[in-house]
Amino acid sequence: MWGSLFKIGKCTTRRFAFDASAIANLKVKAAGNSAQNSTQVEAVSAFIWKCAMAASEETHGFTRPSLLSHVVNLRRRTIPPLIENSIGNLISIASAHCKARYDELGLKGLVGQVREGISKINSDFIKKLQGDEQSNVICKSLKMMEEPGSKDGGVDYFGFTSWCKLGFYEADLGLGKPIWVSGVGSTGSVFLNLIILMETRSGDGIEAWVTLDEQEMAILQRDMELLTFTSLDPSPLKLSNIAAVNSPNYRKGYLFPTL
């Protein structure tokens, strides 16, 4: 399945930071005339997806079908909910498929696609996972992701995962709480078209670590709409608390622990 989605090539990773006001504006834009409000993760994910599809269109000269996946934490969706520190990969993968032009759907339409995909990972879905239908449910879920890649051939795949609200900034490994947490290791990502969403230290912003093909990234990072809502690779001190530079950990060189 993944062979039809992941592509091989030279990739590069950039960090796009959304502050609280930018996210609020995106949520308003996504809502339109609807009273239904999107979550921060839904709004940011759909917006990056839209901009990434625009970069792909400029690269290829035409609009390609696009598939988004989002990793979903199952702990809060079971009945009763599992404890947050339950050990194991208690996750499932939601997906959304954009067959129409991204500019026709607009941000509101793309947010709806993301929300619909995630909403399918609900208590009924988990109940089936725990029963005799487990194999059928898993196969059906994975097939929804496999078919676009096998049928369309030229589908673009973008994999999202949100590490927001997982408590990374509360972790103390003996050196104090981290000032800045990275979503990417020192060697970078091994997958193209991977987007990791991390909350900022203040908790009201989101850093998107985006890994794309080098050519598409060159287009993405000059996208004027994207740059209206984000800062490209801003100083971590700007995103956290500038007073943190006075902390003992900063002077010891512990500014950038990666968890």
Side-chain angles (χ1 to χ4, degrees):
M1 180 188 77
W2 297 114
S4 65
L5 298 177
F6 281 118
K7 59 182 181 180
I8 300 173
K10 293 184 178 181
C11 62
T12 184
T13 301
R14 292 289 183 271
R15 181 170 54 95
F16 297 89
F18 297 78
D19 62 22
S21 61
I23 295 174
N25 289 335
L26 280 176
K27 292 175 68 175
V28 170
K29 187 176 180 180
N33 297 325
S34 172
Q36 189 175 31
N37 209 359
S38 60
T39 66
Q40 289 187 342
V41 169
E42 288 171 348
V44 170
S45 299
F47 181 63
I48 293 175
W49 188 23
K50 177 177 178 290
C51 294
M53 284 190 280
S56 171
E57 181 182 55
E58 185 172 337
T59 300
H60 296 95
F62 58 92
T63 303
R64 288 157 56 97
S66 186
L67 176 69
L68 171 146
S69 73
H70 231 300
V71 177
V72 178
N73 183 0
L74 298 180
R75 290 169 178 79
R76 300 173 187 174
R77 288 171 165 78
T78 62
I79 299 179
L82 298 173
I83 57 175
E84 284 298 306
N85 56 358
S86 303
I87 299 298
N89 291 324
L90 300 174
I91 60 172
S92 187
I93 301 176
S95 62
H97 190 200
C98 180
K99 301 178 183 179
R101 283 187 56 85
Y102 59 88
D103 52 356
E104 293 177 357
L105 284 176
L107 183 60
K108 180 180 178 181
L110 293 174
V111 165
Q113 296 278 66
V114 174
R115 171 173 289 174
E116 181 181 356
I118 294 177
S119 67
K120 293 177 180 178
I121 312 297
N122 53 25
S123 57
D124 290 337
F125 176 86
I126 295 174
K127 187 176 181 180
K128 292 177 181 178
L129 281 180
Q130 296 172 319
D132 297 334
E133 299 179 67
Q134 182 185 75
S135 296
N136 291 335
V137 170
I138 293 175
C139 289
K140 183 179 179 180
S141 178
L142 294 177
K143 194 172 182 179
M144 289 176 64
M145 294 184 59
E146 178 189 15
E147 286 182 347
S150 59
K151 287 183 177 180
D152 295 328
V155 67
D156 285 327
Y157 169 69
F158 299 97
F160 284 77
T161 179
S162 171
W163 294 3
C164 298
K165 298 183 180 180
L166 291 183
F168 286 116
Y169 281 100
E170 297 302 315
D172 187 344
L173 305 181
L175 301 174
K177 295 180 181 180
I179 294 172
W180 184 49
V181 179
S182 163
V184 177
S186 58
T187 57
S189 172
V190 297
F191 297 120
L192 272 72
N193 295 7
L194 175 67
I195 298 94
I196 300 174
L197 304 181
M198 298 283 302
E199 65 186 334
T200 56
R201 189 170 184 264
S202 62
D204 58 2
I206 289 179
E207 287 185 287
W209 294 78
V210 182
T211 301
L212 288 181
D213 172 83
E214 288 183 345
Q215 185 178 357
E216 292 184 12
M217 179 60 79
I219 296 170
L220 183 70
Q221 64 187 25
R222 66 171 186 265
D223 185 312
M224 294 308 299
E225 184 181 17
L226 178 62
L227 296 178
T228 299
F229 290 92
T230 66
S231 299
L232 176 60
D233 289 332
S235 166
L237 295 179
K238 182 179 178 182
L239 292 173
S240 52
N241 185 349
I242 197 67
V245 299
N246 296 318
S247 71
N249 289 341
Y250 174 77
R251 292 193 292 274
K252 290 177 182 177
Y254 298 139
L255 177 59
F256 308 125
T258 301
L259 302 181

